[in-house]
Amino acid sequence: MAILLLYAFSYALGTAAGYPELPDGGVDLGPLRNTVLDLTYIAIALPLIMLAVRWTERRPAGALSSVTGRLRFRWLARCLLAALLPVTLLALTTVLLPDGGAASGDPAAWVGMRSFIISLAVLTVFVPMQAAAEEYVFRGWLTQAVGAFLRSPWLAVLPQAALFATAHGWGTTWGFVDLLFFGLVAGWLTIRTGGLEVTIALHILNNLLAFGVSAAVVGGLSSDDTAADAPWQLALADMAAVLLYAAIILRMARRHRPQRLAPVLASPPASHQHQPLVTPPAASMRHSYDTPANGRASRTEVRESDL
């Protein structure tokens, strides 16, 4: 409903302003405005999924963020710093690739410094919201929803990765493999670190790079090419960058030790006088990432040694 309202509003505003109509029936607001509108369509999923968790599942929306029930901003900042090196190397590799890594193979022309700076400033505002929304939907809600029905949380990584790659459409085989690989590694890192911060950081910088490259060339933001259309050279470079990022994060996690498991809730006092001398095995279990932060146990429980 929110997306339909936004579409209707943009259509009415664009028509009133005299903008031309696109072949698909929408209004052509220009490359940058159209891109912002597309990003907003995706970003809307962020508040919607949080409201759905709060109202339908009766648990705090922060349970999607991490096992602590909130977004850990200090850890997020560290992850952003960790992503700088892999994304910078990926950017340099993209420049060295034939045609700048463009899927279409058309020669690129510099758009001009003023237009590039304006586009980059606008994208810096909207891309993080779009990237975070995708992470909350796929590595957050979907991973937890599937994990509630599985004994091992690692199996919950597979469906979200496949759906994440499919949601970007089908372009090239290598593009699909690259997206699938990103989804698998991102889901794995989410469980290993107990939250979405690690994947939000990489997703934001990766998308800023992709949109920044598009904004730098004439007609780049008007192109229909997505990550699903990546050629094999760019796909391999991106997968190498993801692996490098994962290695850096694992090293950081050993040093800073972010909370990986939800805290074990204290059992209510028994009404009878005699207490058991041996703690039952179930009481010594910790809940995995798909455990809601408000204490309602999910159907998936794992011992810490399983992770």
Side-chain angles (χ1 to χ4, degrees), residues 18-280:
Y19 287 99
E21 188 171 329
L22 292 169
D24 60 2
V27 178
D28 187 3
L29 302 175
L32 182 57
R33 294 187 183 94
N34 287 339
T35 301
V36 168
L37 193 59
D38 291 339
L39 293 173
T40 305
Y41 285 144
I42 300 174
I44 286 177
L46 182 55
L48 293 181
I49 199 68
M50 288 186 170
L51 289 175
V53 168
R54 180 64 178 174
W55 289 348
T56 64
E57 300 182 19
R58 304 292 183 180
R59 61 191 179 110
L64 292 176
S65 301
S66 73
V67 294
T68 64
R70 61 180 177 82
L71 197 65
R72 300 166 294 186
F73 287 100
R74 182 174 297 181
W75 176 240
L76 176 62
R78 289 193 176 107
C79 293
L80 284 169
L81 291 176
L84 286 177
L85 176 61
V87 172
T88 300
L89 293 177
L90 178 61
L92 295 175
T93 304
T94 302
V95 173
L96 296 176
L97 289 175
D99 300 315
S104 61
D106 297 329
W110 170 242
V111 72
M113 182 58 69
R114 182 175 182 275
S115 296
F116 175 69
I117 293 298
I118 293 175
S119 298
L120 193 61
V122 173
L123 291 171
T124 302
V125 175
F126 286 90
V127 166
M129 294 186 291
Q130 170 262 335
E134 291 188 8
E135 291 305 316
Y136 271 87
V137 171
F138 291 100
R139 259 66 70 181
W141 176 79
L142 186 57
T143 300
Q144 293 183 11
V146 174
F149 296 92
L150 300 173
R151 180 172 179 80
S152 172
W154 304 107
L155 296 178
V157 171
L158 301 177
Q160 62 82 21
L163 290 175
F164 174 74
T166 303
H168 286 76
W170 181 267
T172 65
T173 301
W174 279 102
F176 184 85
V177 170
D178 183 24
L179 289 166
L180 181 65
F181 182 78
F182 180 92
L184 290 172
V185 175
W188 175 63
L189 288 176
T190 297
I191 296 176
R192 287 284 297 176
T193 61
L196 297 177
E197 300 90 354
V198 63
T199 57
I200 290 175
L202 179 61
H203 204 151
I204 287 175
L205 291 186
N206 190 70
N207 282 16
L208 280 176
L209 169 63
F211 281 102
V213 170
S214 297
V217 299
V218 175
L221 293 177
S222 301
S223 175
D224 293 329
D225 291 340
T226 67
D229 302 298
W232 68 269
Q233 303 98 323
L234 184 58
L236 288 178
D238 187 57
M239 286 187 280
V242 171
L243 283 178
L244 176 59
Y245 177 71
I248 296 174
I249 288 297
L250 292 179
R251 183 179 180 86
M252 285 176 49
R254 286 193 294 268
R255 179 179 179 182
H256 297 286
R257 298 186 178 277
Q259 185 175 332
R260 296 170 47 193
L261 303 171
V264 179
L265 296 178
S267 301
S271 58
H272 54 273
Q273 182 177 3
H274 300 288
Q275 299 294 331
L277 297 179
V278 181
T279 303

